[in-house]
Amino acid sequence: MVDRLVNSEANARRIGLVEGCFGSAGQPLGVPGRVLVGEGVLTKACRKKVKPRQFFLFNDLLVYGSIIISKKKYNTQHIIPLEEVKLKSLEDDGQFKNGWLICTKGKSFAVYAATATEKQEWMAHINKCIEDLLKKSGKKASDSHAAVWVPDSEANMCMHCKKVQFTLVNRRHHCRKCGVVCCNACSSKRFLLPAQSSKPLRVCASCYDELAMQNNGGDNSFNKEGKTADSSGEDDSDEEENGGNVDSKQPSFYSSVDEQGSSS
């Protein structure tokens, strides 16, 4: 089914609508061979709280953005190549149900669907697209992924020294290697993590020592406490977007998993 959609007018129209919704805030998505497999709203775990985000599944990409006007305007476009994605199902935990992790080299996070059926559909379609893409390219699945950040709400105290209480003055910081929440003193060093950023990123003291030992004296570390803002990749760049009116309509998938398999 995906192969049959490649050159179809319906597929071109759908991709054009997605591009139009992002406008100048997004990158062009219409390239030869690309198919929009499905779309819908998922709840994404951001640093401070969960927020609705519009997701688009292509046969080679996963794209999501903040919802300004449902079906009409999105911004803060994020593009994730599917060949580096790995999914991991999450057990239901109180109000957080029907969730799974989307893990990549540069960033990993949790998302939640409205129902168990929608979770199953999303995971099946994403995994099938990944499987077909890797088979077609001959590449192997990535075995290295960024850590999932511990939400701010789950840490009132530094998880490294277990002494400093977080306040308006003592801010929370995340280790980019392991994802734990640390105080400034326990995460004052930086290390180059090429998969996440071209600049050295904040890491906790334990991860810094481990990385420095693995690097055997290489020049990937940055010991001085910088006064500049956190570098690219350090904060959830869609954290400040609260989103507008959200259409809770079920996700739309334009091919079944079985049809995807039969088209290869």
Side-chain angles (χ1 to χ4, degrees):
M1 180 67 172
V2 169
D3 286 350
R4 293 200 295 273
L5 286 173
V6 169
N7 297 315
S8 70
E9 291 184 7
N11 179 62
R13 183 174 65 253
R14 293 181 191 123
I15 294 178
L17 288 173
V18 176
E19 289 181 328
C21 287
F22 279 107
S24 60
Q27 297 182 26
L29 297 169
V31 300
R34 180 168 292 159
V35 173
L36 179 58
V37 177
E39 59 183 286
V41 176
L42 294 172
T43 300
K44 176 181 177 290
C46 298
R47 177 172 179 170
K48 295 181 180 179
K49 60 182 180 180
V50 295
K51 298 178 180 179
R53 294 290 182 257
Q54 182 75 27
F55 279 77
F56 300 94
L57 174 61
F58 295 86
N59 58 338
D60 62 336
L61 299 174
L62 186 62
V63 177
Y64 69 93
S66 302
I67 303 167
I68 306 302
I69 303 175
S70 184
K71 300 290 184 182
K72 293 184 179 180
K73 185 179 176 78
Y74 311 117
N75 67 4
T76 321
Q77 185 188 72
H78 296 260
I79 298 178
I80 303 173
L82 280 181
E83 61 186 19
E84 64 179 52
V85 170
K86 181 179 180 180
L87 305 185
K88 181 181 179 182
S89 181
L90 293 173
E91 297 291 332
D92 290 350
D93 182 14
Q95 63 176 329
F96 298 108
K97 298 179 179 179
N98 312 313
W100 68 96
L101 296 179
I102 297 176
C103 302
T104 75
K105 292 180 179 180
K107 185 178 184 180
S108 299
F109 54 89
V111 293
Y112 301 89
T115 67
T117 298
E118 289 183 20
K119 170 185 176 178
Q120 184 179 15
E121 288 179 333
W122 271 106
M123 292 189 71
H125 279 88
I126 295 172
N127 278 324
K128 183 57 182 175
C129 286
I130 295 171
E131 178 186 338
D132 290 347
L133 185 63
L134 292 175
K135 184 186 296 183
K136 192 172 183 179
S137 68
K139 296 181 179 179
K140 292 183 179 181
S142 175
D143 57 0
S144 176
H145 301 94
V148 178
W149 285 13
V150 175
D152 284 5
S153 59
E154 294 184 13
N156 294 320
M157 179 186 296
C158 175
M159 299 174 70
H160 189 266
C161 67
K162 296 180 173 57
K163 295 179 181 178
V164 175
Q165 294 278 348
F166 294 123
T167 64
L168 291 176
V169 177
N170 293 323
R171 294 179 54 223
R172 294 171 174 83
H173 300 280
H174 281 83
C175 172
R176 273 60 189 182
K177 179 68 169 60
C178 68
V180 302
V181 185
C182 306
C183 65
N184 185 62
C186 290
S187 60
S188 62
K189 296 180 179 179
R190 286 168 165 74
F191 205 93
L192 183 62
L193 304 174
Q196 296 188 41
S197 175
S198 60
K199 301 178 181 179
L201 300 178
R202 184 185 292 269
V203 294
C204 69
S206 296
C207 285
Y208 179 86
D209 291 341
E210 178 185 340
L211 289 164
M213 185 176 296
Q214 293 174 357
N215 197 46
N216 291 325
D219 193 25
N220 283 7
S221 62
F222 185 75
N223 290 317
K224 299 178 182 178
E225 293 186 27
K227 295 184 180 180
T228 57
D230 283 350
S231 58
S232 174
E234 291 220 354
D235 286 315
D236 193 342
S237 57
D238 63 353
E239 183 66 42
E240 296 181 356
E241 300 293 340
N242 292 318
N245 297 324
V246 178
D247 185 355
S248 60
K249 185 179 178 181
Q250 293 181 343
S252 299
F253 293 103
Y254 306 117
S255 66
S256 72
V257 174
D258 291 337
E259 287 173 325
Q260 287 183 52
S262 63
S263 66
S264 57

